[in-house]
Amino acid sequence: MEIAEIGAISEFGMRYENIRMQVASTNIAFANQLSGSPDNVYQPLTVSIDGIEQLSSNISNFDEFVQQIKTSLQVSVNKNNHVKPVHAPENSVADAAGYVYKPDVNMVNEMLTLTTATRAYEANIRAFNTAMSMGQKALEIGKR
């Protein structure tokens, strides 16, 4: 396995975790947005990896695994359709029935996503830096 392949895996991990942090932050920012119609409510986002099922099967060696990561995995952001109706007839944006609608954002899950994504991002940085350091040490040994 080459140092560049280790770097590619770490790079993918960092990109993925960065997107997870951005999505969780956006969901938290819009968690209290109110609307008079369920169609106009912010739709909380989720992150998934397309092709993960194919990645886990039919891999015979690590080089094939690295190649699949480089070519087939794409990170996509999906909207879900969770809306919470809240009875608040005094609110200026309430509909005729007295309901306002807000996104169904689970703050605990979003904060947990932020924490785990941050830790995973840091771990990928450490793995990348370690791989680069190993490559530099190998070049130093080769000079002697």
Side-chain angles (χ1 to χ4, degrees):
M1 175 174 51
E2 297 178 19
I3 299 295
E5 292 171 341
I6 296 170
I9 292 170
S10 293
E11 178 187 354
F12 174 80
M14 286 185 279
R15 280 190 287 127
Y16 175 70
E17 298 304 337
N18 186 17
I19 290 170
R20 286 182 63 214
M21 286 185 280
Q22 290 177 8
V23 165
S25 298
T26 302
N27 287 344
I28 290 169
F30 287 103
N32 292 318
Q33 179 190 34
L34 299 176
S35 175
S37 166
D39 298 331
N40 296 334
V41 176
Y42 169 77
Q43 298 297 313
L45 304 171
T46 57
V47 180
S48 64
I49 302 176
D50 297 335
I52 195 72
E53 297 83 16
Q54 293 80 17
L55 180 66
S56 60
S57 62
N58 302 326
I59 296 176
S60 59
N61 61 36
F62 190 75
D63 292 333
E64 190 175 318
F65 172 75
V66 170
Q67 189 59 33
Q68 282 192 7
I69 283 180
K70 288 180 178 178
T71 60
S72 68
L73 288 183
Q74 300 295 320
V75 177
S76 64
V77 178
N78 307 313
K79 290 185 175 185
N80 63 37
N81 294 319
H82 300 287
V83 176
K84 281 197 296 193
V86 177
H87 188 67
E90 70 283 353
N91 196 306
S92 62
V93 297
D95 63 6
Y99 284 96
V100 292
Y101 302 90
K102 61 188 269 186
D104 189 15
V105 175
N106 185 329
M107 294 298 277
V108 173
N109 285 346
E110 298 300 332
M111 292 302 292
L112 181 63
T113 298
L114 277 176
T115 303
T116 57
T118 301
R119 297 281 199 281
Y121 188 88
E122 292 168 353
N124 278 299
I125 289 173
R126 283 193 298 276
F128 182 81
N129 289 340
T130 300
M132 294 303 113
S133 175
M134 288 170 38
Q136 287 176 344
K137 294 291 183 189
L139 289 174
E140 289 174 14
I141 291 171
K143 287 181 182 179
R144 296 177 190 182

